[in-house]
Amino acid sequence: MSYRLFQIDAGFQNYEWGNIGSKSVVAQFAHNSNPSKIEIDPSLPYAELWMGTHQSKASVEHKTGTSLQELVEKSPEEFLGAQVINKFRSTREIPFLLKVLSIGKVLSIQAHPDKELAQKLHFRDPKNYPDDNHKPEMALAVTEFEGFCGFKPLEELDSLLQKIPEFREIIGEELVHMFHENIFTGKVEMNSQEDHKNRKLLQQVFSKVMNLPDSRVYTSTKLLVKRTYDEPELFGHDLCKLIQKMQSDFPYDIGLFCGCLMLNHCILQPGEAMFLQARDIHAYIRGDIVECMAASDNVVRAGFTPKFKDVDVLVDMLTYSYEDVEMQKMRPEIFTRSHGDGYDNLYDPPIEEFAVLQTILNKKDGRREVEGLRGPSILIVTKGEGTIQIQDENDSKLNCRPGFIFFIQPEVKIQLRSSSDDFVTYRAFCEVNH
Ligand SMILES: [Zn+2]
């Protein structure tokens, strides 16, 4: 059989923050893709669908169940292309991991190491840091999405420190005062001396929060939550609601301080995206997203988690960027190598492991061709129905429904056809030097 274009089934993860049962788009997709094997358990959370060759959940060929990783390893040139093999020096793995996440409650506040730090951490502690790769990631909202992303602008943080007694108390009068007196506000040039001083001050405040003794976390968070009911005007409506909601997701957690009070609360509308560089702090709160990342599973966690927290590493590693939340969003670009009905949006972050192409056929009986891409790609249908085929090869036609996933080899021209209104696909791909 030819492996130029074929259907695959993805593995999934039942992390406890996922949406429950068939309310989760991850469960729906997994079931649609393989109805005879995947029964949805109405009591289980379905959090993540994993599409790629990552060792802990490699996707499999739909018909035979053969692991995609094995197929890649058998014919690396055909599956990855020479350029990708040369660049990433692997004949076994696709350089990216594509996921769908269905988030019901907040995931841990986290950051991912860059390459250098990932190697160090993996060497020192392979149990908590399972591989030596970096993990830049990009989130594309499928439904309205809510998350934390980067630190709040410093004026905002300063004002919260001044106003909220519990926050002041855990930071201490001395540092609160020092922060207030020494931060540079207004327009501060990136990487200027002022900017460095600002980041240092921010780091001191964050470190203080993260090192709060466990014995004090419960009382401080309890008082903070109480104050949102007693004096909501101190926080403003949105912040009040956010703290109360986080308290119900993850009661009495330090994340109420290091997340709600320190990080940007960011909302993405469907189609909007954000890219997280290595060492940027973030957390996802709610919504369905398509996520793409470099193939890695390294996470350093700060809050809203029962898992291992590596506070010293975290405090030390962060970028401490404090930009306005709008600055963190990514704008889609026009893709020039496709034509026909409908349109594409290209999300192309400044790294080489991946880009994501969203294709939309907004009416029935539409056709859209995409030229061959120079590396491996994985496409998932998220909405509507239609077919996918190798261009000009009618006998290669495969059915498309939400949750159907396809692997496409390098240089294979494809055609998508819609048989319903609003047919949407996301395709992650890796092209070196584009
Ligand atoms: Zn992350």
Side-chain angles (χ1 to χ4, degrees), residues 110 112 135 137 282:
Q110 55 184 249
H112 307 291
K135 190 193 175 197
E137 63 190 16
H282 59 281

Side-chain angles (χ1 to χ4, degrees), residues 52-76:
T53 50
H54 195 278
Q55 52 183 2
S56 64
K57 264 311 169 202
S59 304
V60 298
E61 213 248 289
H62 178 71
K63 279 193 190 136
T64 61
T66 312
S67 149
L68 180 58
Q69 196 276 321
E70 272 170 46
L71 293 172
V72 169
E73 204 166 4
K74 242 182 244 165
S75 339

Side-chain angles (χ1 to χ4, degrees), residues 333-433:
E333 298 161 39
I334 292 169
F335 186 68
T336 53
R337 290 176 282 159
S338 58
H339 42 268
D341 305 314
Y343 58 94
D344 302 293
N345 285 314
L346 175 66
Y347 299 87
D348 189 8
I351 48 151
E352 292 205 290
E353 281 87 348
F354 61 84
V356 173
L357 184 68
Q358 181 197 39
T359 300
I360 298 175
L361 281 164
N362 39 15
K363 55 177 197 292
K364 217 171 153 168
D365 299 323
R367 289 181 185 200
R368 189 160 189 90
E369 281 99 47
V370 182
E371 288 171 27
L373 304 176
R374 292 188 302 277
S377 60
I378 292 178
L379 177 147
I380 178 164
V381 180
T382 57
K383 212 173 172 186
E385 289 181 17
T387 56
I388 184 171
Q389 67 184 77
I390 299 171
Q391 176 140 28
D392 306 323
E393 286 183 18
N394 248 317
D395 58 351
S396 66
K397 195 186 278 178
L398 299 167
N399 283 329
C400 290
R401 291 185 56 212
F404 283 30
I405 307 161
F406 303 91
F407 180 86
I408 305 161
Q409 284 190 350
E411 308 298 347
V412 173
K413 270 190 194 180
I414 60 151
Q415 187 187 65
L416 291 162
R417 295 185 189 183
S418 55
S419 57
S420 70
D421 292 337
D422 227 5
F423 178 56
V424 181
T425 66
Y426 289 84
R427 179 179 181 186
F429 61 98
C430 173
E431 276 188 333
V432 177
N433 302 326

Side-chain angles (χ1 to χ4, degrees), residues 108 110-112 135 137 276 280 282-284 291 299:
S108 49
Q110 55 184 249
H112 307 291
K135 190 193 175 197
E137 63 190 16
L276 300 153
D280 272 351
H282 59 281
Y284 299 157
E291 191 189 37
V299 184

Side-chain angles (χ1 to χ4, degrees), residues 110-244:
Q110 55 184 249
H112 307 291
D114 55 21
K115 273 188 190 151
E116 203 186 325
L117 180 61
Q119 279 163 7
K120 245 200 282 186
L121 293 173
H122 176 64
F123 180 73
R124 205 169 67 193
D125 182 2
K127 187 173 141 274
N128 284 305
Y129 301 102
D131 50 64
D132 61 2
N133 201 3
H134 70 160
K135 190 193 175 197
E137 63 190 16
M138 179 167 73
L140 292 89
V142 175
T143 59
E144 188 180 271
F145 162 84
E146 202 185 333
F148 289 119
C149 168
F151 287 94
K152 288 182 187 295
L154 300 192
E155 303 83 308
E156 227 176 293
L157 192 57
D158 181 47
S159 135
L160 291 172
L161 278 170
Q162 298 299 321
K163 281 191 299 202
I164 297 172
E166 290 72 25
F167 199 13
R168 277 184 93 91
E169 206 258 329
I170 68 169
I171 303 302
E173 286 305 321
E174 197 184 342
L175 183 53
V176 170
H177 182 72
M178 191 163 94
F179 187 83
H180 180 72
E181 291 298 314
N182 292 291
I183 49 166
F184 294 91
T185 56
K187 200 161 172 42
V188 173
E189 193 108 2
M190 269 262 260
N191 284 321
S192 62
Q193 240 188 358
E194 287 86 356
D195 182 43
H196 281 291
K197 285 186 181 154
N198 276 349
R199 286 174 200 241
K200 268 269 158 303
L201 284 162
L202 182 55
Q203 184 180 33
Q204 281 177 281
V205 173
F206 183 68
S207 169
K208 203 71 193 240
V209 175
M210 293 315 300
N211 285 295
L212 186 70
D214 284 347
S215 56
R216 288 181 57 198
V217 172
Y218 176 79
T219 25
S220 303
T221 50
K222 192 175 174 186
L223 290 170
L224 178 73
V225 173
K226 184 169 182 302
R227 196 172 295 278
T228 63
Y229 291 98
D230 296 346
E231 290 179 83
E233 65 284 357
L234 278 187
F235 300 82
H237 176 266
D238 292 356
L239 187 53
C240 259
K241 285 278 155 291
L242 181 66
I243 292 172
Q244 291 162 5

